[in-house]
Amino acid sequence: MTEYGNRDPDALVRRAGKRADTRQDQHFLVDDRVLDRIPTYAEEMDLTHVLEIGGGPGALTDRLLAVADRVTVVERDPEFAAHLRTEFADAVAADRLTVIEGDALAVDLPEFTASVSNLPYGASSEIAFRLLPAGKPMVLMFQQEFAERMTADPATDDYGRLSVTAGHYADAELVETVPKGAFDPQPRVTSALVRTTPREPDYAVPSDAFFMDFLKAVFTQRRKTMRNAVRNTAHISGLGDPDAVVEAADEDLMSARAGKLAPADFADLATLAYEVGEPEHGDD
């Protein structure tokens, strides 16, 4: 039986026969210690079917095959996709590994029980917010700055739209920072691993789509009061009558700035806006 979990990452890169293309956000994780730790952050997760976005030469894929029943890798680069099928041919033959060649933002994703991925940084936000609504636990690698914003608490410097949006779907915690030297070639920034645990929010919104548009709108003017932010961003939120929202809302909320409000406050305002602001959106 083939063993997994101890392949040398540098040897995998050599066998792939292809250098990383930094223009395509390719930075290979080659530090064995980090690679070995990543699955430990997923120990409490259901690893029946793990989704990995961006397999590259396969160092993390190898570690995931050691702990998961099945792994599906989405890899955009056709040469790396072919390499993964060859490198892990036994796992493919045993129906333990599926390699989907294509863009993670465009392909049909399979049903999965957890996702563990070293995401391409240029698309990490979009990929994360494609995965989060699935309601599955994840361990994802991001740029540290992004990870800090994703996990930030209200009224802190890093708190923003990203924090509220992530928190709508899951509890998110930064579990490890990863130095530049863990990658080849080295990125220009420090990285970080974020673990998400799905849960229902402690508030209700009338429409997820409208809530996300409302957050996007008001956080574009985070330095202004909510009164001005709501009025100035109707073209983003889709509100037909933003003045009605301002007039009906609590004065304290309207006088605050977005960075000071808790997620439940945004939910209350979005619900009010949906009810009286004549939004363009219908139900989800």
Side-chain angles (χ1 to χ4, degrees), residues 249-261:
D250 181 86
E251 175 63 25
D252 288 342
L253 289 182
M254 286 293 98
S255 298
R257 288 169 173 75
K260 301 296 184 182
L261 296 184

Side-chain angles (χ1 to χ4, degrees), residues 133 168-169 205-213 274 281-284:
H168 182 67
Y169 297 106
V205 294
S207 156
D208 270 9
F210 176 72
F211 186 53
M212 295 304 156
D213 284 347
Y274 194 86
H281 291 285
D283 295 335
D284 284 347

Side-chain angles (χ1 to χ4, degrees), residues 39-249:
T40 68
Y41 297 122
E43 284 177 345
E44 302 302 316
M45 299 178 184
D46 179 354
L47 301 180
T48 303
H49 187 186
V50 174
L51 175 66
E52 181 190 4
I53 304 296
L60 181 56
T61 309
D62 173 57
R63 270 63 177 179
L64 295 177
L65 284 168
V67 298
D69 296 337
R70 290 177 58 213
V71 177
T72 292
V73 180
V74 179
E75 174 53 58
R76 183 175 61 179
D77 188 305
E79 292 180 70
F80 283 125
H83 160 72
L84 291 168
R85 293 188 184 103
T86 300
E87 178 70 31
F88 302 106
D90 288 350
V92 172
D95 199 28
R96 292 195 56 224
L97 176 66
T98 300
V99 180
I100 298 174
E101 183 183 322
D103 188 331
L105 295 174
V107 301
D108 291 331
L109 298 177
E111 294 291 325
F112 61 96
T113 60
S115 180
V116 182
S117 305
N118 175 27
L119 297 177
Y121 289 156
S124 60
S125 174
E126 296 165 283
I127 294 171
F129 290 109
R130 185 178 185 194
L131 298 178
L132 277 164
K136 304 300 181 184
M138 300 187 289
V139 178
L140 305 176
M141 183 86 76
F142 298 105
Q143 293 186 21
Q144 183 179 358
E145 180 183 356
F146 183 96
E148 289 173 345
R149 288 190 285 123
M150 186 175 179
T151 59
D153 292 324
T156 61
D157 289 343
D158 290 321
Y159 180 72
R161 172 191 167 203
L162 178 59
S163 324
V164 182
T165 307
H168 182 67
Y169 297 106
D171 288 323
E173 59 178 323
L174 195 160
V175 293
E176 179 177 340
T177 56
V178 181
K180 303 173 188 178
F183 298 87
D184 183 27
Q186 292 187 20
R188 284 180 278 186
V189 295
T190 301
S191 303
L193 286 162
V194 172
R195 176 169 55 199
T196 69
T197 304
R199 51 133 180 79
E200 292 295 319
D202 57 2
Y203 53 78
V205 294
S207 156
D208 270 9
F210 176 72
F211 186 53
M212 295 304 156
D213 284 347
F214 184 79
L215 290 174
K216 179 180 180 181
V218 296
F219 271 109
T220 63
Q221 302 209 342
R222 61 177 296 150
R223 298 188 185 282
K224 297 186 180 297
T225 64
M226 288 296 293
R227 180 184 299 104
N228 289 330
V230 170
R231 281 179 169 149
N232 295 345
T233 60
H235 61 291
I236 301 173
S237 62
L239 290 176
D241 190 356
D243 286 335
V245 180
V246 173
E247 291 166 10

